[in-house]
Amino acid sequence: TWYNPNYFSLFFSMFPSTIPECDPTVSPRLYHTCMAPISVSTHAGTASHLPCSGHAQLAPKWFCMGVSMVSLSWQLAVLLGNLFILVPTEGSCPVCSPSHAEYWKILALLYYPAFYYPLAACATVGHRASYLLGCLLSWCHCVVHVWQKVDCPQSPKIYRYYSTLSYVPIIFCLMVLSLWYPALLIRSLTGKEETSNKEVMKPRPPALCSQGSATLKSLSQRNGSRGTAPLQVALLLLVAFVPTIQIVRAGMTKDVVVLLVQFGLVPSENPGMPGDMEKELSTVKHYLWSLEVCYVCSLVLCSFASLPRRSNLKALYQGAVLDVFYKAHILRPSRQAIVCWMSFASFQTAFACLGLLIQQVIFFICFAAFTFLVVIPLQSGTSSYLFKIVQNMWPFWLTLVVAVIVQNVAAHYQFLEQHPLRKELTNRRALYIITYLLFPINVLVGVLAGVWRMVISALYNAIHFCQLDISLLNRGVETFDPGYHAYCHYLKTEVSQSHPLMRVFCLLLLQPTKPQGPPEPRTGDLEEGLQLMHTKKAPSGGGRLKRSRARWWLAYTLLNNPSLMACRKTALCDPTANGAQLSPSKP
Amino acid sequence: TWYNPNYFSLFFSMFPSTIPECDPTVSPRLYHTCMAPISVSTHAGTASHLPCSGHAQLAPKWFCMGVSMVSLSWQLAVLLGNLFILVPTEGSCPVCSPSHAEYWKILALLYYPAFYYPLAACATVGHRASYLLGCLLSWCHCVVHVWQKVDCPQSPKIYRYYSTLSYVPIIFCLMVLSLWYPALLIRSLTGKEETSNKEVMKPRPPALCSQGSATLKSLSQRNGSRGTAPLQVALLLLVAFVPTIQIVRAGMTKDVVVLLVQFGLVPSENPGMPGDMEKELSTVKHYLWSLEVCYVCSLVLCSFASLPRRSNLKALYQGAVLDVFYKAHILRPSRQAIVCWMSFASFQTAFACLGLLIQQVIFFICFAAFTFLVVIPLQSGTSSYLFKIVQNMWPFWLTLVVAVIVQNVAAHYQFLEQHPLRKELTNRRALYIITYLLFPINVLVGVLAGVWRMVISALYNAIHFCQLDISLLNRGVETFDPGYHAYCHYLKTEVSQSHPLMRVFCLLLLQPTKPQGPPEPRTGDLEEGLQLMHTKKAPSGGGRLKRSRARWWLAYTLLNNPSLMACRKTALCDPTANGAQLSPSKP
């Protein structure tokens, strides 16, 4: 028989034996046993300051991104470890038979965020001691991770260097922190910039500072997670396929080639009698190399496929609700809006990972089909199935093309009266006869259009899968899409709670000792609000001039930000409004 | 080895031998040789009257539907014959190697509409001789088809009775015509109703009557094709699967069962040693029966899945352009609009057929998955993979459910201040901490939401595939969908050329001998226009009263049909406007 179970063992004999388990000097158990109490004590020590601090607002974005990237990439490594990595190594399926380890992994989902939180917390307190603690913590984490990876660069999971590669973003983030905390510490010891800020921070209105840090946190969380999570998925996709196929290619033997020729997968001059297989062997290797190239190309394309987001948030700040949503929405927080806001960053991460997987599958199939149906036949000079179909069905294609051209030409020259002012239908009798006679041919054109409709909608949905600001459903039912639903509610919360103009106002309140006029924006985060405000440096003038100018400013600001109008009226008329909280939400 | 090529022959031995070819007394060649010249001569005889006749407007819809159904179902039988039916019987793939027969089939796409056109043409001329000719033609066609099917009820294609069943709608339509033409003839010989109409028709303004017949034709064409084409596809799907699986079920032997048990497809108590297989044999038969039930259920569901169309056309008649389109459109004919109007009915037919195929595949997979993962395990008491996964992963699911509930409860009671006038966000610090800590769990929730997003968008697109009034793409790019693009242009042409109010006006013009007031609408086709007009029976009054009432009517009509406003102004001001043509298009 042409099938033999020995072929399986033959095939798998090409793979080298697995790498033995490696015990690093600093075992993960020791690491967590030592560091967890330190984390807990740091939590306790910084609890009264966390996470509310105006100081975080002044730190550059990329620093906070680094902090959140550490924790998030860790969490995602754990998640992926749970879901994918352990499946092939543990023998039995871990999701089907939970051991005690599985329960611990579920707990780890809560443990890791708490474990790495002090790294971010130390920067937000704004005290020298906390900077020192941050230095020690980040050095400690960084050294342990580097040490572990130097000790054990190889692991038996998936690919020998997978574990090391997946730690690269984490170690990079920890290194950034290890350099940044000393810099902060030195600045706080020598400079005086922080002093005035700290004095400002002493009264610390709770709503205000949390507002600022919230925006920053949500922003950094989103960017960090969106960066690292698909990176980990892409890495997993890469190391799960490419080294494997390279090994297969290198270890390809003539016995396997005979099998492939018998299956009809590889063309051969004498398929019946396997003799000298040199040529077929090189063909198989070429095919495998092509597959590898297709895979890498599709992975690269996937990374670029997620297009940049549209500026919906800015449009909503300026009050253009109907540009963003299909119907009018009331922009105020609700239970659902808060829940969606909480889960929005996670959804983005999850959708980015899933979208990458889907896109990789689709693009890989497209690339492989193109390669094996067009490129390789052109290279080798043989005709593929595609060429054969196109060649032999030319009368059919010609009929369709001619019918479409005839209809277009007739519509333009016969059925449309080129009136100087307006176009008018004419020759109706001929129009009806042609429509009737061409009906069957148009049905065939319609079948092609239907296939195109199917392909384009599937491609569109796959490419836009990870974009939550686009609903994959139709206009009337678009909120049934869970991603778009979360996005809409997230927008509502974000717009009602963090209007940039309000944030600029908070900044102005916090810096009463500065000279008149708006301060120089320290962070790019606030630039948007200042741009919306269009303030000018006020010259010192009379009280009346000053007041009139203030009124002009107000009118101008309200004109540019009509969504603020409602707040103003409410704040003035509503007797229960709490002026101290300065909430910018709309009724 | 467990695999043996003999199993294949064993499997196919269950099917009975094919049915021998059958030659009917009236061969198709003879039939076409005789009837084609008659058709051509009828064409020539009715050429001056075709297809423009106001008479067609007065015939009931279902009659014209019958006429078009005959030709369309024929055409589609030919199409499907070309594309599907001949593939298994001719041995080699006909689309890959065109013989002379293939070229003839392409020509047949033009030949069949022309061949059956006289059946429709005879009714539209409105003369006794044409009715007589119609009688003879329809009887002739009907008798030949019935004779052929009585001669040869079985054919070797796909299923022995497939050919007969596929002719049922055609023969039914021909029978309707065979009864209708005599009725028309008798009425024209005895009654006088047609006389007045014929006198009216003598001047025959070309634009007017073609307008009416166009609407009717497009309507009947659409309904006819949409009815028969998916019917043929459904029939093909039915007879290609159900008799086959019934034969397989009846011919199932213990040898095949052993094979299936060895493949692991059927559970067995002693899979290693095949002994008495009675129980397994009944299990396999039960499985096959379940598959059959699933298939038929999904086919029934597909038939109901194409929902009714929305009343976009009526909305456009009343001028509500923005309700239908996303942006403002100018409703006037253009080259593209005419081409789309010509191919719209064909596209609908093609999309209905393709949509039925896609829905059948998807629904069948869903039904089969539900049956084999839920119903059969529940029946037999064994636990399926699905149950095992749900059972063993309960800590995981519990974690997700608890996390979602916690977030909802916390959002409602902790983070939302239940202000009497408006809801306000509060406890921000706790909100950020919970958001941060629950991030990894929310990612897992997001993965589930992502899977749901994928499933719901795929299902939505599959169910709405055959509906051209819905774009499967997003708002901004919806016209890239070829179906929706054709639909939009079709709407433009239809609205600008066949406003029901204009058609009522034409009817009033054509019946000047009738007493005052609007005539009783003869056909349901014109009722819409009268409803839009809301006319009242005018009492005989003074000249001034009459004029003022006419003005009131005009104002009322224009109020109800704002889209007519533009025509009126143009007709009054434009010196080049041709009053005799009464074109209702908008500039």
mmCIF file of all heavy atoms in Angstrom, chain B residues 292-306:
data_model
loop_
_atom_site.group_PDB
_atom_site.id
_atom_site.type_symbol
_atom_site.label_atom_id
_atom_site.label_comp_id
_atom_site.label_asym_id
_atom_site.label_seq_id
_atom_site.Cartn_x
_atom_site.Cartn_y
_atom_site.Cartn_z
ATOM 1 N N GLU B 292 -29.118 13.732 8.062
ATOM 2 C CA GLU B 292 -30.161 14.001 7.077
ATOM 3 C C GLU B 292 -31.158 15.016 7.624
ATOM 4 O O GLU B 292 -31.534 15.978 6.938
ATOM 5 C CB GLU B 292 -30.855 12.681 6.766
ATOM 6 C CG GLU B 292 -31.599 12.631 5.471
ATOM 7 C CD GLU B 292 -32.303 11.289 5.343
ATOM 8 O OE1 GLU B 292 -31.672 10.255 5.642
ATOM 9 O OE2 GLU B 292 -33.482 11.284 4.966
ATOM 10 N N VAL B 293 -31.580 14.810 8.878
ATOM 11 C CA VAL B 293 -32.542 15.729 9.500
ATOM 12 C C VAL B 293 -31.938 17.128 9.578
ATOM 13 O O VAL B 293 -32.593 18.128 9.249
ATOM 14 C CB VAL B 293 -32.945 15.214 10.896
ATOM 15 C CG1 VAL B 293 -33.753 16.258 11.637
ATOM 16 C CG2 VAL B 293 -33.720 13.928 10.772
ATOM 17 N N CYS B 294 -30.661 17.206 9.987
ATOM 18 C CA CYS B 294 -29.991 18.504 10.073
ATOM 19 C C CYS B 294 -29.995 19.189 8.715
ATOM 20 O O CYS B 294 -30.245 20.396 8.614
ATOM 21 C CB CYS B 294 -28.544 18.345 10.516
ATOM 22 S SG CYS B 294 -28.359 17.903 12.215
ATOM 23 N N TYR B 295 -29.687 18.429 7.689
ATOM 24 C CA TYR B 295 -29.598 18.996 6.342
ATOM 25 C C TYR B 295 -30.941 19.569 5.909
ATOM 26 O O TYR B 295 -31.025 20.705 5.423
ATOM 27 C CB TYR B 295 -29.131 17.915 5.369
ATOM 28 C CG TYR B 295 -28.704 18.439 4.034
ATOM 29 C CD1 TYR B 295 -27.415 18.902 3.842
ATOM 30 C CD2 TYR B 295 -29.583 18.492 2.972
ATOM 31 C CE1 TYR B 295 -27.009 19.394 2.626
ATOM 32 C CE2 TYR B 295 -29.190 18.980 1.744
ATOM 33 C CZ TYR B 295 -27.898 19.425 1.583
ATOM 34 O OH TYR B 295 -27.511 19.921 0.377
ATOM 35 N N VAL B 296 -31.994 18.774 6.103
ATOM 36 C CA VAL B 296 -33.326 19.247 5.678
ATOM 37 C C VAL B 296 -33.746 20.453 6.510
ATOM 38 O O VAL B 296 -34.280 21.438 5.980
ATOM 39 C CB VAL B 296 -34.345 18.092 5.781
ATOM 40 C CG1 VAL B 296 -35.738 18.604 5.486
ATOM 41 C CG2 VAL B 296 -33.977 16.985 4.824
ATOM 42 N N CYS B 297 -33.469 20.419 7.817
ATOM 43 C CA CYS B 297 -33.833 21.548 8.683
ATOM 44 C C CYS B 297 -33.130 22.820 8.217
ATOM 45 O O CYS B 297 -33.747 23.888 8.143
ATOM 46 C CB CYS B 297 -33.427 21.266 10.127
ATOM 47 S SG CYS B 297 -34.483 20.119 10.948
ATOM 48 N N SER B 298 -31.834 22.706 7.924
ATOM 49 C CA SER B 298 -31.107 23.916 7.525
ATOM 50 C C SER B 298 -31.623 24.431 6.192
ATOM 51 O O SER B 298 -31.705 25.647 5.982
ATOM 52 C CB SER B 298 -29.609 23.637 7.445
ATOM 53 O OG SER B 298 -29.354 22.595 6.542
ATOM 54 N N LEU B 299 -32.033 23.510 5.310
ATOM 55 C CA LEU B 299 -32.569 23.947 4.016
ATOM 56 C C LEU B 299 -33.891 24.690 4.205
ATOM 57 O O LEU B 299 -34.149 25.710 3.556
ATOM 58 C CB LEU B 299 -32.756 22.726 3.111
ATOM 59 C CG LEU B 299 -32.759 22.979 1.610
ATOM 60 C CD1 LEU B 299 -31.495 23.700 1.196
ATOM 61 C CD2 LEU B 299 -32.870 21.670 0.856
ATOM 62 N N VAL B 300 -34.721 24.185 5.127
ATOM 63 C CA VAL B 300 -35.990 24.867 5.418
ATOM 64 C C VAL B 300 -35.715 26.243 6.009
ATOM 65 O O VAL B 300 -36.341 27.244 5.628
ATOM 66 C CB VAL B 300 -36.841 24.006 6.372
ATOM 67 C CG1 VAL B 300 -38.043 24.791 6.871
ATOM 68 C CG2 VAL B 300 -37.295 22.741 5.676
ATOM 69 N N LEU B 301 -34.747 26.298 6.928
ATOM 70 C CA LEU B 301 -34.425 27.568 7.573
ATOM 71 C C LEU B 301 -33.914 28.583 6.551
ATOM 72 O O LEU B 301 -34.250 29.766 6.610
ATOM 73 C CB LEU B 301 -33.381 27.337 8.661
ATOM 74 C CG LEU B 301 -33.107 28.515 9.589
ATOM 75 C CD1 LEU B 301 -34.324 28.841 10.407
ATOM 76 C CD2 LEU B 301 -31.948 28.211 10.507
ATOM 77 N N CYS B 302 -33.090 28.100 5.592
ATOM 78 C CA CYS B 302 -32.564 28.982 4.548
ATOM 79 C C CYS B 302 -33.701 29.642 3.779
ATOM 80 O O CYS B 302 -33.623 30.818 3.421
ATOM 81 C CB CYS B 302 -31.730 28.195 3.551
ATOM 82 S SG CYS B 302 -30.154 27.727 4.157
ATOM 83 N N SER B 303 -34.753 28.862 3.508
ATOM 84 C CA SER B 303 -35.850 29.389 2.711
ATOM 85 C C SER B 303 -36.537 30.543 3.417
ATOM 86 O O SER B 303 -37.078 31.446 2.783
ATOM 87 C CB SER B 303 -36.863 28.287 2.440
ATOM 88 O OG SER B 303 -36.206 27.104 2.066
ATOM 89 N N PHE B 304 -36.497 30.517 4.761
ATOM 90 C CA PHE B 304 -37.150 31.598 5.503
ATOM 91 C C PHE B 304 -36.186 32.715 5.863
ATOM 92 O O PHE B 304 -36.607 33.739 6.392
ATOM 93 C CB PHE B 304 -37.770 31.046 6.787
ATOM 94 C CG PHE B 304 -38.954 30.174 6.541
ATOM 95 C CD1 PHE B 304 -38.876 28.813 6.683
ATOM 96 C CD2 PHE B 304 -40.158 30.737 6.147
ATOM 97 C CE1 PHE B 304 -39.965 28.004 6.452
ATOM 98 C CE2 PHE B 304 -41.245 29.940 5.900
ATOM 99 C CZ PHE B 304 -41.155 28.569 6.049
ATOM 100 N N ALA B 305 -34.889 32.496 5.605
ATOM 101 C CA ALA B 305 -33.905 33.443 6.123
ATOM 102 C C ALA B 305 -33.896 34.769 5.369
ATOM 103 O O ALA B 305 -33.506 35.782 5.919
ATOM 104 C CB ALA B 305 -32.512 32.827 6.091
ATOM 105 N N SER B 306 -34.312 34.762 4.111
ATOM 106 C CA SER B 306 -34.271 36.032 3.384
ATOM 107 C C SER B 306 -35.489 36.863 3.788
ATOM 108 O O SER B 306 -36.611 36.589 3.398
ATOM 109 C CB SER B 306 -34.250 35.774 1.880
ATOM 110 O OG SER B 306 -35.372 35.057 1.507
#
